[in-house]
Amino acid sequence: MQSGLVVKKIKQNDNVLFFFNDSKKWLMKVSRKQQFHTHVGIIDHKKVIGKEYGSAIKTNKGKIIYLFEPTIHDYVMKSQRSTQIVYPKDLGYIAARTGLQSGQKIIEIGTGSGSLTTFLASIVKPRGHVYTYDVDENFMAIARKNIEKAGMSKYVTMEKLDIKSAKKMPQKDADMIVVDLGDPWTVVPQARKMLKGSGYFVAICPTMNQLENLAVALWENDFFDMECTEQIVRTIEAREGKTRHSFRGIGHTTYVAFARKVTTPKDARKKMHTEVVDVSEEEALEDEGLSPLKK
Amino acid sequence: MQSGLVVKKIKQNDNVLFFFNDSKKWLMKVSRKQQFHTHVGIIDHKKVIGKEYGSAIKTNKGKIIYLFEPTIHDYVMKSQRSTQIVYPKDLGYIAARTGLQSGQKIIEIGTGSGSLTTFLASIVKPRGHVYTYDVDENFMAIARKNIEKAGMSKYVTMEKLDIKSAKKMPQKDADMIVVDLGDPWTVVPQARKMLKGSGYFVAICPTMNQLENLAVALWENDFFDMECTEQIVRTIEAREGKTRHSFRGIGHTTYVAFARKVTTPKDARKKMHTEVVDVSEEEALEDEGLSPLKK
Amino acid sequence: MQSGLVVKKIKQNDNVLFFFNDSKKWLMKVSRKQQFHTHVGIIDHKKVIGKEYGSAIKTNKGKIIYLFEPTIHDYVMKSQRSTQIVYPKDLGYIAARTGLQSGQKIIEIGTGSGSLTTFLASIVKPRGHVYTYDVDENFMAIARKNIEKAGMSKYVTMEKLDIKSAKKMPQKDADMIVVDLGDPWTVVPQARKMLKGSGYFVAICPTMNQLENLAVALWENDFFDMECTEQIVRTIEAREGKTRHSFRGIGHTTYVAFARKVTTPKDARKKMHTEVVDVSEEEALEDEGLSPLKK
Amino acid sequence: MQSGLVVKKIKQNDNVLFFFNDSKKWLMKVSRKQQFHTHVGIIDHKKVIGKEYGSAIKTNKGKIIYLFEPTIHDYVMKSQRSTQIVYPKDLGYIAARTGLQSGQKIIEIGTGSGSLTTFLASIVKPRGHVYTYDVDENFMAIARKNIEKAGMSKYVTMEKLDIKSAKKMPQKDADMIVVDLGDPWTVVPQARKMLKGSGYFVAICPTMNQLENLAVALWENDFFDMECTEQIVRTIEAREGKTRHSFRGIGHTTYVAFARKVTTPKDARKKMHTEVVDVSEEEALEDEGLSPLKK
């Protein structure tokens, strides 16, 4: 321990990430009277209380367990799963690609397990907010617990609402809308209504077919700067004289689609264009971004 | 435009991203008296003022330009470069992997062009803060301008200081320390002093040799949960009946190393271990995370 | 030069790869009276004659040019292109995945520029053969020249024939059939007729939609062991103390589909299955490979 | 079955790939009196004899097994392993990158399990040949069996010989030399002696450090056109309306290094260069390929 540091000690009811190794780690609330049984031995919670985060303890089998302060990454990875979660490699690129930042208003359509909700809230807080909508109450109950556990409830409003059939949109002027549905193209017009001008539409699309259907809908609903991506993270084992990529492969999780809302309708843009006479119609269409095909 | 929206109009001195297509876009401050000359025609700034973000205008050559509100992503990509910048794919994974969130205290060693600084500040603001150190005043001047332009100056403290030779560390109790130096392993002991227990050490390492040297230093300075990664983002062209990956390849930018600070020193951990008699020394060392080799 | 080696000297009319660096290299026939002008100087052919392969000469500007003996890789990369060629990364995986070997009988539908034809012939020769079909005489003329230049004409039979509408298949009992058409699914029944039992069907498919359509057709035409892949080759710059991946990215070329011909028709296989009573219909279908979905 | 086809029937002692699905398949010699027990039921060999390749049979549990004719790919993947094998993705790129073809003379240093030997032989046969050297008799015994099983013994000469310490090189004038040793850089001078001018040196290098050490040795021993690569194959699940990459990730196997033998020694090349006066020494060095750093 460094002298002068304000050391954060673990207290009763604090969350702790018990870390044995990268594939064996447990996130739990510390409770004086509990013991936690693992294959590497028993962790006695009362030994944990009073320790600082980052310290190591021993199980009754003599194995070392590290007491890490859980991060949002840990909460996301350890969230209870009703559906497939959105993984850090994808979460991170969504944040960096859209310029997600503290203070923004975000709308999520399809709460799922709440992992994406938790991540978004952790960044936009304390003055920003995430509004999230789902239709499945069972999923919502699980998501609520996950968001609560990560301490993000205050920054999240969860509502049971079918955006597809909603008469009136519950929000407007959002900085970003993230859609995690099987058929994201069905809510593009609704998303458009809730977005501010030049705001970002983002969709979690596990299949190529979703990207394709979505691209058509985005184009028809006056979105532009469309980009579809996949994120791959590879791990490297850095060791003296033996550095190489990991033998473990990292498989597919999802593709992600991005687009920005344009407020001048396509017809008006076409009209702008046709006033000009010295370019061939077709060429101009492509050139001026009236073609959906990004070059 | 949707009725009821609080529409954000572009005013004199606002920053605007003039977007023609993905490879032709310009970020600039709007000034009533200026004209901007591009190969797709002249953009007259006074036509831009009063428009809402997300709308389209026409150049004198009849080409359509979209007026997007710049995001942190746009500021990062359009920052003036003194050195190689850290790219969104890498920024995003750093955020997601470490659980970067609003409110945190971050230290950056090696300010470079300030792109990473800008990104970190945009997330930790308004109550968090980024402290950044460099030794090159020319770089610092450029970084300062980039950070200023993105509106992040308030959340960033920049100081000329050589952390390697500093007698006293300028900060302590940081949630994360990010190092962007050619020899990141030289500041591991100093970084350790400024980090809170279980806090994250992150390093931008363009070469495998840096990862390798760093892994040794991290292990010797009581860091754990070490991971080295590379992030790859591939774009997909989603078009009806013709969906495929982009022909454009995306090349290498940097690898990234991650580790968490452990407060119980290695010696103490070894001692914990040796009290146990029923496991062979060697096995136990590896098992209990006393070996640097992650499995 | 090593003593005792039978040194191969370059003679009049031999092909030589003039290699300056990886992006500047030229493949040409040496002719005593020619001079070749490049931006790095003039190469005088008569200086080349009598040199051994692997030696270096000097241009009149004092630049060094290496005289390499062209390999099939060089012929493929330097082939005249009427259409997109198939790249070495994809050629190689086709060979390794299907067990392509000397002596086989191969059928190619869609000759294109003849690069794939050349590669296939170089491996199956001298006793194997490639039969290749196309409908475009202009493409065929270019392909013929490319195949001739690489010295593979003897092992290739090229015919103008529209396999889709052909009354009678021109060949049978092939070890492998490779299809390089925009709509490869249209020739699956024809390909089947020309393939031996358990022989390989391979298709060059630049888009995901082609893979999807093809998968349906292959399943319906009694193919099995279907696999769709994409091949990525990344280059690494290995240098003392500075080893890293190349900044050059390598983009998309094509996906490739593989499947093996099954001779017992689907109906007969289903019947086999239904004689068994102790497994639920659905489970069994999937289990026994009567479902196209590979697990 | 197509009428008119010369159908290949399975006979006693033929090898058959019993294929249930991609992860459950067995390669074995058919013997009238044998039964093969799998978790999907018993395969009775005598039922297999007389069937044509590509047909399907039923186990006693009613599961369908396909009878495929084994390809070199199947022999490689099912070879008995004493050491790590070289995988198809890497084998294929080696073939395509070097222009491996029927008729060539290949030398392999480090026979290992013989999987690479088998692959090379299957392509260079019938007139080409593979000479392979190892020092471990146990490995060699296993490799011999693998090569024999794949029917390649006739095209392979295996010898126990330590190339590092050999007084005299056992071969010369090879088209390609492939090295699969832990320290491939130690045999570069020897490999050079056995290679023809402009012939290919290839090394299987699982770590970055091997690539780095090798690059230095290749440069010092007058090799050029150096390239280090890694091959990645990703599988795609093509299904109607649900096409996406596979969730299975494919991890690291090995990197591969390539270079071509230059017969004009470095000193002579330097001298060529220094006769020229109008270029700065340093620039010219890099330009003319006298620097090992590929651009």
Side-chain angles (χ1 to χ4, degrees):
Chain A
M1 201 190 72
Q2 308 309 321
S3 71
L5 283 184
V6 180
V7 175
K8 204 165 170 188
K9 299 261 163 110
I10 298 165
K11 304 182 308 295
Q12 169 81 2
N13 292 330
D14 274 357
N15 286 317
V16 172
L17 183 76
F18 293 112
F19 188 100
F20 178 65
N21 65 30
D22 191 45
S23 52
K24 294 198 185 69
K25 48 189 176 188
W26 307 270
L27 199 169
M28 60 182 64
K29 186 172 283 199
V30 168
S31 179
R32 204 175 314 274
K33 292 184 185 164
Q34 278 202 335
Q35 285 193 325
F36 177 56
H37 290 253
T38 78
H39 82 291
V40 295
I42 298 168
I43 299 167
D44 197 346
H45 280 205
K46 69 173 177 292
K47 279 192 188 172
V48 170
I49 292 171
K51 289 277 189 313
E52 59 177 317
Y53 280 116
S55 56
I57 60 159
K58 209 174 55 170
T59 69
N60 72 327
K61 285 190 180 168
K63 301 288 184 185
I64 288 177
I65 300 287
Y66 294 89
L67 309 174
F68 288 143
E69 189 174 1
T71 65
I72 288 299
H73 174 264
D74 300 321
Y75 285 112
V76 164
M77 294 305 288
K78 291 296 180 189
S79 59
Q80 193 188 335
R81 301 176 189 198
S82 48
T83 59
Q84 185 68 285
I85 67 165
V86 181
Y87 282 88
K89 69 185 182 65
D90 304 315
L91 293 173
Y93 192 66
I94 291 172
R97 178 68 180 77
T98 63
L100 179 71
Q101 61 166 297
S102 184
Q104 291 185 331
K105 178 180 188 171
I106 311 291
I107 291 168
E108 183 188 40
I109 305 177
T111 310
S113 303
S115 63
L116 177 52
T117 329
T118 297
F119 175 77
L120 295 168
S122 74
I123 289 181
V124 302
K125 73 171 185 140
R127 292 178 201 154
H129 204 83
V130 182
Y131 298 88
T132 184
Y133 305 96
D134 209 310
V135 295
D136 186 314
E137 288 186 340
N138 295 323
F139 287 1
M140 289 169 74
I142 291 170
R144 203 179 305 274
K145 274 171 55 181
N146 286 329
I147 294 162
E148 172 71 37
K149 188 168 187 181
M152 294 298 138
S153 301
K154 207 170 143 188
Y155 315 109
V156 174
T157 298
M158 191 184 297
E159 195 180 328
K160 188 183 171 188
L161 180 67
D162 186 354
I163 294 287
K164 289 181 210 178
S165 58
K167 291 269 160 53
K168 198 175 160 291
M169 288 303 104
Q171 287 294 328
K172 61 181 184 184
D173 215 19
D175 291 283
M176 190 201 311
I177 294 193
V178 189
V179 180
D180 190 359
L181 300 178
D183 48 3
W185 56 89
T186 60
V187 297
V188 170
Q190 294 85 336
R192 184 176 165 76
K193 285 185 192 156
M194 293 191 275
L195 261 184
K196 70 175 193 185
S198 102
Y200 265 103
F201 178 95
V202 177
I204 309 299
C205 296
T207 75
M208 287 281 175
N209 310 75
Q210 291 171 315
L211 290 181
E212 195 169 309
N213 289 332
L214 188 57
V216 174
L218 285 169
W219 176 244
E220 280 171 5
N221 285 277
D222 290 317
F223 281 88
F224 203 66
D225 185 17
M226 205 183 304
E227 185 171 71
C228 300
T229 63
E230 66 170 326
Q231 291 69 235
I232 300 170
V233 173
R234 301 176 72 205
T235 53
I236 296 153
E237 295 183 14
R239 292 174 294 174
E240 246 185 315
K242 291 188 290 181
T243 295
R244 56 162 178 75
H245 282 90
S246 172
F247 291 143
R248 270 182 305 161
I250 295 185
H252 175 65
T253 56
T254 191
Y255 311 112
V256 183
F258 298 92
R260 261 169 168 173
K261 175 180 170 177
V262 168
T263 55
T264 311
K266 201 156 33 190
D267 286 347
R269 283 179 281 148
K270 271 193 187 137
K271 217 170 143 191
M272 279 186 187
H273 156 68
T274 49
E275 292 162 18
V276 182
V277 288
D278 64 341
V279 198
S280 84
E281 172 75 2
E282 215 167 311
E283 243 186 81
L285 268 170
E286 200 159 342
D287 259 23
E288 295 177 25
L290 284 165
S291 156
L293 169 52
K294 183 168 154 185
K295 282 178 296 186
Chain B
M1 202 191 74
Q2 307 309 320
S3 71
L5 282 185
V6 181
V7 173
K8 204 164 168 188
K9 301 262 163 107
I10 297 165
K11 305 181 308 292
Q12 168 82 2
N13 291 329
D14 275 356
N15 286 316
V16 172
L17 183 74
F18 294 111
F19 187 101
F20 177 65
N21 65 31
D22 191 46
S23 51
K24 295 200 184 68
K25 48 190 177 187
W26 307 271
L27 200 169
M28 58 182 65
K29 187 172 285 199
V30 169
S31 180
R32 205 176 314 276
K33 293 183 183 164
Q34 278 202 335
Q35 285 193 326
F36 177 56
H37 291 253
T38 79
H39 81 293
V40 294
I42 296 168
I43 300 167
D44 197 344
H45 279 206
K46 70 174 175 293
K47 278 193 190 171
V48 170
I49 291 171
K51 289 276 189 312
E52 60 178 319
Y53 280 116
S55 57
I57 59 160
K58 210 175 52 172
T59 68
N60 72 328
K61 287 190 180 166
K63 302 288 183 184
I64 289 177
I65 299 288
Y66 295 88
L67 308 174
F68 288 143
E69 189 174 1
T71 66
I72 288 298
H73 174 265
D74 300 321
Y75 286 112
V76 164
M77 294 306 288
K78 291 295 179 190
S79 58
Q80 193 188 335
R81 299 177 189 196
S82 49
T83 59
Q84 184 68 285
I85 67 164
V86 182
Y87 281 88
K89 68 184 183 66
D90 305 313
L91 294 173
Y93 192 66
I94 291 171
R97 177 67 180 79
T98 64
L100 180 71
Q101 61 168 298
S102 183
Q104 290 185 331
K105 177 180 188 171
I106 311 291
I107 291 167
E108 183 189 40
I109 305 177
T111 310
S113 304
S115 63
L116 177 52
T117 328
T118 297
F119 176 77
L120 294 169
S122 75
I123 289 182
V124 301
K125 73 172 187 144
R127 293 180 201 154
H129 204 83
V130 181
Y131 298 87
T132 186
Y133 304 97
D134 209 311
V135 294
D136 185 315
E137 287 185 341
N138 296 323
F139 287 1
M140 290 170 73
I142 292 170
R144 205 179 304 274
K145 274 171 56 183
N146 285 330
I147 294 163
E148 172 71 37
K149 188 168 188 182
M152 293 300 138
S153 302
K154 207 171 143 188
Y155 314 108
V156 175
T157 299
M158 191 185 296
E159 195 180 328
K160 188 183 170 190
L161 180 66
D162 185 353
I163 293 287
K164 288 181 212 179
S165 58
K167 288 271 161 53
K168 201 175 159 290
M169 289 302 104
Q171 286 294 329
K172 61 182 182 183
D173 217 19
D175 291 284
M176 190 201 312
I177 293 192
V178 190
V179 180
D180 190 359
L181 300 178
D183 49 3
W185 54 90
T186 60
V187 297
V188 170
Q190 292 85 337
R192 185 177 165 76
K193 285 186 191 155
M194 293 191 275
L195 261 185
K196 72 176 190 185
S198 103
Y200 265 103
F201 177 96
V202 177
I204 308 300
C205 295
T207 75
M208 288 281 174
N209 310 75
Q210 289 170 316
L211 290 180
E212 197 169 306
N213 289 332
L214 188 57
V216 173
L218 286 168
W219 176 245
E220 280 172 4
N221 284 278
D222 291 317
F223 281 87
F224 204 65
D225 186 17
M226 205 183 304
E227 187 171 70
C228 300
T229 63
E230 67 170 325
Q231 291 69 234
I232 300 170
V233 172
R234 301 177 71 205
T235 53
I236 295 152
E237 296 183 15
R239 293 174 293 175
E240 249 185 315
K242 291 189 289 182
T243 295
R244 57 162 177 74
H245 283 91
S246 172
F247 290 143
R248 271 184 303 163
I250 296 186
H252 175 65
T253 56
T254 191
Y255 312 112
V256 183
F258 298 93
R260 262 171 168 172
K261 174 179 170 177
V262 168
T263 55
T264 310
K266 201 156 34 190
D267 286 347
R269 283 180 281 148
K270 270 192 188 140
K271 215 168 145 191
M272 278 187 188
H273 157 67
T274 49
E275 291 161 20
V276 183
V277 288
D278 64 342
V279 199
S280 84
E281 173 75 1
E282 214 167 311
E283 244 187 81
L285 269 170
E286 198 158 342
D287 260 24
E288 293 176 26
L290 285 166
S291 154
L293 169 53
K294 184 166 154 189
K295 283 178 298 186
Chain C
M1 202 190 72
Q2 307 310 320
S3 71
L5 282 184
V6 181
V7 174
K8 206 166 168 187
K9 299 261 161 111
I10 298 166
K11 303 183 307 295
Q12 168 82 0
N13 290 330
D14 275 357
N15 286 316
V16 171
L17 184 74
F18 294 112
F19 188 100
F20 178 65
N21 66 30
D22 191 46
S23 52
K24 294 200 185 68
K25 48 189 176 189
W26 306 272
L27 199 169
M28 60 182 64
K29 187 171 284 197
V30 168
S31 181
R32 207 176 310 276
K33 294 185 182 163
Q34 278 202 336
Q35 284 194 327
F36 178 56
H37 290 252
T38 79
H39 82 291
V40 294
I42 298 168
I43 299 167
D44 197 345
H45 279 207
K46 70 173 177 293
K47 278 194 190 169
V48 169
I49 291 172
K51 288 274 190 316
E52 60 178 319
Y53 281 116
S55 56
I57 59 160
K58 212 175 53 172
T59 68
N60 72 327
K61 285 191 182 168
K63 301 289 184 182
I64 288 177
I65 300 288
Y66 294 88
L67 308 175
F68 288 143
E69 189 174 2
T71 66
I72 288 299
H73 174 263
D74 301 320
Y75 286 112
V76 163
M77 294 306 288
K78 291 296 179 188
S79 57
Q80 192 189 336
R81 302 179 188 197
S82 49
T83 60
Q84 184 66 285
I85 67 163
V86 181
Y87 282 88
K89 69 185 182 64
D90 305 314
L91 294 174
Y93 193 66
I94 291 171
R97 178 67 179 79
T98 63
L100 179 71
Q101 60 167 298
S102 183
Q104 291 186 330
K105 178 179 186 173
I106 311 292
I107 291 167
E108 183 188 40
I109 305 177
T111 311
S113 305
S115 63
L116 177 51
T117 328
T118 297
F119 176 76
L120 295 168
S122 74
I123 290 182
V124 301
K125 73 171 185 143
R127 294 179 200 153
H129 204 83
V130 182
Y131 298 87
T132 184
Y133 305 97
D134 209 311
V135 295
D136 186 314
E137 288 184 341
N138 296 323
F139 287 2
M140 288 170 75
I142 291 171
R144 205 179 304 275
K145 274 171 56 183
N146 287 328
I147 293 163
E148 173 71 35
K149 188 168 189 184
M152 294 298 138
S153 301
K154 207 171 142 187
Y155 315 110
V156 174
T157 299
M158 192 184 293
E159 196 180 327
K160 187 182 173 191
L161 180 66
D162 187 354
I163 294 286
K164 288 182 209 177
S165 58
K167 288 270 158 56
K168 197 175 160 294
M169 287 303 104
Q171 286 294 330
K172 62 181 182 185
D173 216 20
D175 291 284
M176 191 201 308
I177 294 193
V178 190
V179 180
D180 190 0
L181 300 177
D183 48 3
W185 55 89
T186 60
V187 297
V188 171
Q190 292 86 334
R192 183 177 167 73
K193 285 185 191 155
M194 293 191 274
L195 260 184
K196 70 174 191 186
S198 102
Y200 266 103
F201 178 95
V202 177
I204 309 299
C205 296
T207 76
M208 288 280 175
N209 309 75
Q210 290 171 314
L211 290 181
E212 196 169 309
N213 289 332
L214 188 58
V216 174
L218 285 169
W219 177 243
E220 280 171 4
N221 285 277
D222 291 318
F223 281 88
F224 203 66
D225 186 17
M226 205 182 304
E227 187 171 71
C228 300
T229 63
E230 67 171 326
Q231 292 69 235
I232 301 169
V233 172
R234 302 176 71 205
T235 53
I236 296 153
E237 296 183 13
R239 293 174 293 175
E240 249 185 314
K242 291 189 290 182
T243 295
R244 56 161 177 73
H245 282 90
S246 171
F247 290 144
R248 273 183 302 164
I250 296 186
H252 175 65
T253 56
T254 190
Y255 312 113
V256 183
F258 299 92
R260 262 170 169 174
K261 175 180 170 177
V262 168
T263 55
T264 310
K266 201 155 34 189
D267 286 348
R269 282 180 280 149
K270 270 192 187 139
K271 217 169 145 191
M272 278 186 190
H273 157 67
T274 51
E275 292 162 18
V276 183
V277 289
D278 63 340
V279 198
S280 84
E281 174 75 2
E282 215 167 311
E283 244 186 79
L285 268 170
E286 200 159 341
D287 260 21
E288 295 177 27
L290 286 165
S291 155
L293 168 52
K294 185 165 152 191
K295 281 177 299 185
Chain D
M1 202 190 73
Q2 307 308 322
S3 71
L5 281 185
V6 181
V7 174
K8 204 164 168 187
K9 299 263 163 106
I10 297 166
K11 303 182 308 295
Q12 170 81 3
N13 291 329
D14 275 357
N15 286 317
V16 172
L17 183 76
F18 294 112
F19 187 100
F20 177 65
N21 65 31
D22 191 47
S23 52
K24 293 197 185 70
K25 49 188 175 187
W26 306 272
L27 199 168
M28 59 182 67
K29 187 172 284 199
V30 169
S31 180
R32 206 176 314 274
K33 294 184 183 162
Q34 278 202 334
Q35 284 194 326
F36 178 56
H37 291 252
T38 78
H39 82 291
V40 295
I42 297 167
I43 299 167
D44 198 344
H45 280 205
K46 69 172 177 293
K47 278 193 189 170
V48 170
I49 292 171
K51 290 276 191 312
E52 59 177 319
Y53 282 116
S55 57
I57 59 160
K58 209 175 56 173
T59 69
N60 71 328
K61 284 190 180 168
K63 301 289 184 183
I64 287 176
I65 300 288
Y66 295 89
L67 308 175
F68 288 143
E69 189 175 2
T71 65
I72 288 298
H73 174 264
D74 300 322
Y75 286 112
V76 163
M77 294 306 287
K78 290 298 180 188
S79 59
Q80 194 188 331
R81 302 179 188 195
S82 49
T83 59
Q84 184 68 284
I85 67 164
V86 181
Y87 282 88
K89 68 184 183 65
D90 305 314
L91 293 174
Y93 192 65
I94 291 172
R97 177 68 179 78
T98 63
L100 180 70
Q101 61 165 298
S102 184
Q104 290 185 332
K105 178 179 186 173
I106 311 291
I107 290 167
E108 182 188 41
I109 305 177
T111 310
S113 304
S115 62
L116 177 52
T117 327
T118 298
F119 176 76
L120 295 168
S122 74
I123 289 181
V124 301
K125 73 169 187 145
R127 295 180 200 154
H129 204 82
V130 181
Y131 297 88
T132 184
Y133 304 96
D134 208 310
V135 294
D136 186 314
E137 288 185 340
N138 296 323
F139 287 2
M140 289 169 75
I142 292 170
R144 205 178 305 273
K145 275 171 56 183
N146 286 329
I147 294 163
E148 172 71 37
K149 189 168 187 183
M152 293 299 138
S153 301
K154 209 170 141 187
Y155 316 108
V156 174
T157 298
M158 191 184 296
E159 196 180 328
K160 188 183 170 188
L161 179 66
D162 187 353
I163 294 287
K164 287 182 213 177
S165 59
K167 288 269 158 55
K168 198 174 161 293
M169 288 302 106
Q171 286 294 328
K172 61 182 182 183
D173 215 18
D175 291 284
M176 190 202 309
I177 293 193
V178 190
V179 180
D180 189 0
L181 300 177
D183 48 3
W185 55 90
T186 60
V187 297
V188 170
Q190 293 85 336
R192 183 177 166 73
K193 285 184 192 158
M194 293 191 275
L195 261 184
K196 70 175 192 186
S198 103
Y200 265 104
F201 178 96
V202 177
I204 309 299
C205 297
T207 75
M208 288 281 175
N209 310 76
Q210 290 170 313
L211 290 181
E212 196 169 309
N213 289 332
L214 188 57
V216 173
L218 285 169
W219 177 243
E220 281 173 3
N221 285 278
D222 290 317
F223 281 88
F224 203 65
D225 186 17
M226 206 182 304
E227 185 171 72
C228 300
T229 62
E230 66 170 327
Q231 292 69 235
I232 301 170
V233 173
R234 301 177 70 205
T235 53
I236 296 153
E237 296 183 14
R239 292 173 295 175
E240 247 184 314
K242 290 188 292 182
T243 295
R244 56 161 176 74
H245 281 91
S246 172
F247 290 144
R248 272 184 301 162
I250 294 185
H252 175 64
T253 57
T254 191
Y255 312 113
V256 182
F258 298 92
R260 262 169 169 175
K261 174 179 168 177
V262 169
T263 55
T264 310
K266 201 158 33 190
D267 286 348
R269 283 179 281 148
K270 271 195 187 137
K271 215 168 145 192
M272 279 187 187
H273 157 67
T274 49
E275 292 161 18
V276 183
V277 289
D278 64 342
V279 198
S280 83
E281 173 76 2
E282 216 167 310
E283 242 185 83
L285 269 171
E286 199 159 343
D287 259 23
E288 296 177 24
L290 285 165
S291 155
L293 169 53
K294 185 166 154 187
K295 280 178 297 188

